[in-house]
Amino acid sequence: ASILIRWSEAPPDVVAFYRMLLATLALAPFALRSRNRADLATLDRRSTAVMLAVGAVLAVHFYAFNASLELTSVASATVLVTSHPLLVGILGLLFLRERPSSGGLGLIVGLGGVIVISFADLGSGRLEGDLLALVGMLAAAVYLLAGRAVRQKVGLMNYVLIVYASCTAVLFLICLANGSPLGPYPPREIAIFLALAIVSTLMGHTVLNWSLRYLPAAF
């Protein structure tokens, strides 16, 4: 995703909005089939509220990550934002009682790498981008931990439909608040949005959300 986002000339919030809008629209026909509609009707208010909140957190993750790519290197932003297993491992132990494998050695080594990257950017004018990537990392950690809990009782299609739709709505509000232009955009930009929706979201995040039912969040 980081390469595609960097290629785009659209504002960070717009890239994130169209990514999630297109992904949600692509999922909707499958998620709204009769069986899934029946399951949707049985969702309790608490689970629905949690999924809507998870969508808002995911919107923060995408917006912060996209913005960080304008202010720091692709390598720094990607490594920092995908260091969420460090935090997930700690919080997963506290809240989900899921102990990291190998005694947490991998988490410790990973944390050392994050610190090195952050300090390497000090004084280079890229610290703001690194901080945004860390915000994206924090949001990703909450997103995965909440997904691990909710996915134990909510089916994949219903979960991703509600979370992605909520994320899209929040990103739309962010675009309005920032005054970011929502169009028109040339075919090249539309192609980037589609690639992010299909490859990075449907084939990326959706697979992660599927696996959360069967694997510990840190794993």
Side-chain angles (χ1 to χ4, degrees):
S2 57
I3 302 298
L4 292 167
I5 294 165
R6 196 65 173 268
W7 275 343
S8 176
E9 296 177 359
D13 47 359
V14 172
V15 175
F17 167 69
Y18 278 115
R19 168 184 181 172
M20 296 311 298
L21 175 64
L22 293 171
T24 303
L25 292 175
L27 274 173
F30 303 97
L32 294 177
R33 289 180 298 183
S34 57
R35 177 182 174 182
N36 288 318
R37 285 203 305 271
D39 290 340
L40 276 173
T42 64
L43 289 175
D44 59 88
R45 291 183 178 180
R46 184 178 182 277
S47 296
T48 302
V50 170
M51 286 186 284
L52 292 173
V54 170
V57 171
L58 183 59
V60 172
H61 162 73
F62 283 135
Y63 179 47
F65 178 48
N66 288 10
S68 74
L69 286 165
E70 292 193 341
L71 299 169
T72 190
S73 66
V74 169
S76 292
T78 303
V79 171
L80 290 169
V81 84
T82 55
S83 64
H84 49 69
L86 307 175
L87 185 58
V88 171
I90 296 169
L91 297 181
L93 177 62
L94 294 175
F95 295 105
L96 301 179
R97 299 292 184 264
E98 295 180 346
R99 185 178 299 277
S101 60
S102 304
L105 177 61
L107 298 180
I108 295 171
V109 174
L111 179 59
V114 171
I115 292 172
V116 168
I117 287 173
S118 299
F119 276 102
D121 281 347
L122 283 174
S124 65
R126 300 189 296 183
L127 183 58
E128 183 181 354
D130 288 352
L131 291 175
L132 281 168
L134 287 173
V135 170
M137 181 270 283
L138 293 172
V142 174
Y143 164 63
L144 289 174
L145 284 168
R148 172 65 172 161
V150 177
R151 278 282 290 121
Q152 303 311 303
K153 53 184 178 180
V154 178
L156 175 65
M157 282 298 177
N158 290 335
Y159 178 77
V160 293
L161 178 66
I162 294 174
V163 170
Y164 291 178
S166 172
C167 178
T168 303
V170 172
L171 287 168
F172 178 69
L173 294 176
I174 291 174
C175 289
L176 292 182
N178 290 340
S180 300
L182 292 175
Y185 285 99
R188 177 183 181 276
E189 292 295 324
I190 302 300
I192 291 174
F193 301 157
L194 280 170
L196 285 166
I198 295 171
V199 179
S200 304
T201 307
L202 297 182
M203 297 171 62
H205 276 260
T206 303
V207 173
L208 286 175
N209 286 314
W210 170 79
S211 69
L212 283 173
R213 185 161 189 163
Y214 310 102
L215 298 170
F219 185 93

